[in-house]
Amino acid sequence: MRGGKGSLKGYKNRRDFSKTPEPKGTPKESDKKRFVVHEHHARRLHWDLRLEIGKVLRSWAVPKGPPEEPGVKRLAVQTEDHPVEYIDFEGVIPEGNYGAGTVEIWDAGGMELLEEKKDRELKFTLSGKKLNGTYYLLKVKGGKIPGDNNWLLFKAKG
Ligand code: MN
């Protein structure tokens, strides 16, 4: 199941919790909204941006990492929603499991969702150590890169 639906079905289907240290988790609403960026040394290094929206962490894999300054647009491929408990996760996903490799927190902090146009645009502020300010995620339609889950991530000017 594709992400953005607020369901953990896709997350759980991909994992065997007797073999991965990742949290099983349940959908839960919390009062303070946060974000995390995981640096994920999987088969290919990437950064996972996760935003606490509704009862889950909406997630995007960013191959080149989130931009720290305006004027840089980065591809962000939406992945399955993750449980809110994942926001604190760091560890090693063993070989042979989905996403095998080391997961470290690259940045984390508060997040405020300013605007959402369902399935095509998110505007939000991040207050982390590395990422600070207003950001956009815009869905790409009919771009050069194949796939239905491609978004662009960039920081707003000013
Ligand atoms: Mn990942």
Side-chain angles (χ1 to χ4, degrees):
M1 179 188 271
R2 178 142 48 99
K5 303 280 185 277
S7 160
L8 296 178
K9 209 172 159 187
Y11 176 83
K12 289 182 177 172
N13 283 346
R14 287 172 169 84
R15 288 168 176 82
D16 178 345
F17 293 99
S18 68
K19 292 180 179 158
T20 177
E22 296 167 288
K24 195 167 179 197
T26 47
K28 59 179 66 156
E29 188 100 45
S30 79
D31 42 359
K32 52 178 180 202
K33 298 300 181 192
R34 297 163 295 168
F35 82 98
V36 67
V37 176
H38 284 118
E39 183 174 331
H40 189 179
H41 294 260
R43 198 151 32 107
R44 275 192 193 165
L45 172 65
H46 61 273
W47 287 259
D48 290 297
L49 170 66
R50 310 190 195 282
L51 308 177
E52 193 173 351
I53 297 175
K55 299 179 175 181
V56 297
L57 300 178
R58 299 246 202 112
S59 298
W60 288 262
V62 187
K64 294 185 176 173
E68 293 177 55
E69 300 300 332
V72 183
K73 288 191 168 92
R74 291 278 159 83
L75 173 69
V77 181
Q78 189 167 29
T79 59
E80 75 276 16
D81 294 337
H82 280 50
V84 170
E85 288 93 332
Y86 210 95
I87 210 152
D88 300 316
F89 176 71
E90 290 190 295
V92 180
I93 302 168
E95 208 49 53
N97 290 276
Y98 180 71
T102 304
V103 177
E104 294 164 5
I105 294 175
W106 180 80
D107 198 18
M111 189 279 303
E112 188 187 354
L113 183 62
L114 301 175
E115 202 178 335
E116 173 170 24
K117 291 176 187 159
K118 196 92 182 122
D119 293 331
R120 61 194 176 92
E121 183 179 331
L122 291 170
K123 181 183 180 186
F124 50 95
T125 55
L126 301 178
S127 19
K129 289 190 175 120
K130 292 170 179 148
L131 302 182
N132 255 290
T134 302
Y135 279 80
Y136 285 91
L137 273 163
L138 300 184
K139 181 128 188 205
V140 181
K141 289 217 166 116
K144 277 181 275 183
I145 307 150
D148 197 25
N149 301 320
N150 299 323
W151 297 62
L152 285 176
L153 171 66
F154 57 94
K155 186 176 180 178
K157 290 195 174 86

